[in-house]
Amino acid sequence: MLATTALAGVAHAVTVGPVTDDIGVIEIPEGDPIQIGGLMVLSGPDSSLGLDQSRGAEIAFADRDEMLLDHPIQYLPEDGQCSVEGGQTGATRLAANTQIVAVVGPACSSEARGGGPVLWNAGMPMAISSATAPALTAQDRPEGFQGLVRFVYNDLAAAAAAVEYVQSQGFARVATLHDGSLYAEQLVQSFQEQFKAAGGEVVASEAIAPTDTDLRPVLTRIGTGAPQILYAPIFVGASAYLVRQAGEIRSMADVPLLGSDAVLAPAFLDAAGDDAVGYRIIGIDNDPAVLGERYVEFVQKYEDEFGEPPIAGFHANGYDAASAVMAAIEKVAVTEDGTTYIGRKAFRDALMATKDMPGVSGTVSCDPHGDCSAAAFAVFEFTDSDSSSFEVGVNPKKMWP
């Protein structure tokens, strides 16, 4: 077996067997597996976010009977810990295995920031399953992000949906809170820009650290601006402290809170307790009435395989990202005498050129910058603090549109 890789972005064509590629060529002998990595948060309070989409990828591989081009598929997920450092560490472990063709994930934008350049330097593109920060697929993104192809919505669209919802409720004065992560900071920034452009006023804009546990001082500062709603798209741990402590601040006790699908997980109910009831979040809408019968069949497979309904919101995106990876491999691979050769740049280009793929989340087509998903959004409200009652559409219940 041989995998020859030049630095991605550096013109240095490599020829292995019948394939010449600008980055490198993976050679997979007859009987050896086609290896596909995974990088997503699999530990800590946000583990449901990553595990849910990793399960989606596993179902996609199972739908192919774990075989591709007469090779078994070997799926190798790593924990990105929803952080820059975790993304770097997980990506470094994956990059050390030069037989990996591509990586499904990450779940968090910070994982992409840390891990994306490491993997692309090794010639391994990432099929993003829930990292949504606009910078990851921006037209002027740096070389290290050139291997990122996104099979979930861009937060420019999420911010627009949040603005539409806030205005539909008649709120003209908002406050915002982020945790300094690439995801939350860029989503809040996009929300503020679009809300102001629509004629709204941002009366407070605050930040915390993801590990902060006492949010009372920042909530007191926010309360002095007399907002009509607080938009805080932060993760499970900080969101739980937010809903527990907001009621303790007199000026914030009656201010509605709006989070995001980063807490679309049973772990949030365990962390927030009874204060979770009534908390609203805006995020991806996996309503079967929107996604259709194929999504219903997919969810049944999920429940049959894992013994419970989906535990977060991005299982369909994990399935579609894995499906797109397999489809791109089939487009560019060359097989001679049982040995398969895959050009790394040719594979990335084929993944980026995904078009009209019938996915579980809808029809998937990529734009020139690697955004391949157009999701619908909805607002959900938690109705019960018992985490065993978690079921998207029931608890939390869909409230808008």
Side-chain angles (χ1 to χ4, degrees), residues 363-375:
T363 301
V364 178
S365 292
C366 298
D367 72 11
H369 309 297
D371 273 319
C372 311
S373 176

Side-chain angles (χ1 to χ4, degrees), residues 52-66:
D52 184 58
Q53 53 204 265
S54 187
R55 288 175 170 179
E58 290 181 41
I59 294 171
F61 300 137
D63 279 352
R64 297 289 198 104
D65 295 325
E66 315 288 347

